[in-house]
Amino acid sequence: MKRRTLLKGTLAAGTVGMAVAAGLVAPRAVLAAWPKEAFEADSMSAAMKGIAGSDQAADGDIDIKAPDIAENGAVVPVTVSTSISGVESISILAAENGNPLTSSYMLGANTEGFVSTRIKMGKTSDVIALVKADGKLYSSRKEVKVTIGGCGG
């Protein structure tokens, strides 16, 4: 080992150690809280209750753009947009996945209700967009046929 490498490593480790000891670097403060139970839920009802507190949602003005047929379930592009005012969060669920909740986004005040992402789908299923706005839940769904599953299928 070269002397220069040893000195660099020692200085880096010492600096990180001092920052942790001083409380400047605290992993718990940096990481955002996330609804672990909702993402690990194995049913639609449990996932919706975990993410939004209820499994009852009204039909809303929500547009889901996803392919009618997804050739590869490992990367299904999904775009959700809504004109509902006061959008607090948008969640995307795939009904037939082992864990239906694929993603959830908390939006700030005065943010446009728009999310675009790619999700993994194990088989043909409804893609459900769940929008929470002004404390109320709205949902919309679209069927996506998957020819090659993204979850090992």
Side-chain angles (χ1 to χ4, degrees):
M1 177 180 282
K2 294 183 178 180
R3 182 176 162 207
R4 180 172 285 180
T5 304
L6 177 65
L7 288 173
K8 282 183 179 178
T10 303
L11 284 173
T15 304
V16 171
M18 288 178 57
V20 169
L24 298 175
V25 179
R28 290 185 180 187
V30 174
L31 298 175
W34 67 294
K36 182 178 179 182
E37 297 81 24
F39 280 99
E40 292 179 348
D42 57 0
S43 70
M44 284 290 300
S45 178
M48 288 175 67
K49 284 181 181 175
I51 197 69
S54 172
D55 61 350
Q56 303 296 318
D59 289 336
D61 184 21
I62 304 167
D63 185 35
I64 301 173
K65 289 185 181 174
D68 293 331
I69 298 173
E71 292 183 15
N72 184 358
V75 285
V76 179
V78 176
T79 299
V80 176
S81 60
T82 181
S83 60
I84 299 171
S85 64
V87 175
E88 300 168 11
S89 68
I90 296 176
S91 301
I92 301 172
L93 302 100
E96 297 297 324
N97 276 6
N99 300 107
L101 182 61
T102 63
S103 55
S104 183
Y105 305 90
M106 304 297 289
L107 304 179
N110 299 324
T111 304
E112 183 178 347
F114 178 86
V115 169
S116 185
T117 188
R118 294 174 187 256
I119 66 170
K120 185 180 280 191
M121 297 180 67
K123 56 186 172 183
T124 298
S125 171
D126 282 344
V127 171
I128 297 145
L130 187 65
V131 174
K132 186 173 186 179
D134 293 329
K136 297 178 183 173
L137 287 177
Y138 302 93
S139 71
S140 182
R141 63 179 58 219
K142 177 182 180 173
E143 183 183 47
V144 176
K145 294 181 181 178
V146 176
T147 56
I148 300 172
C151 299

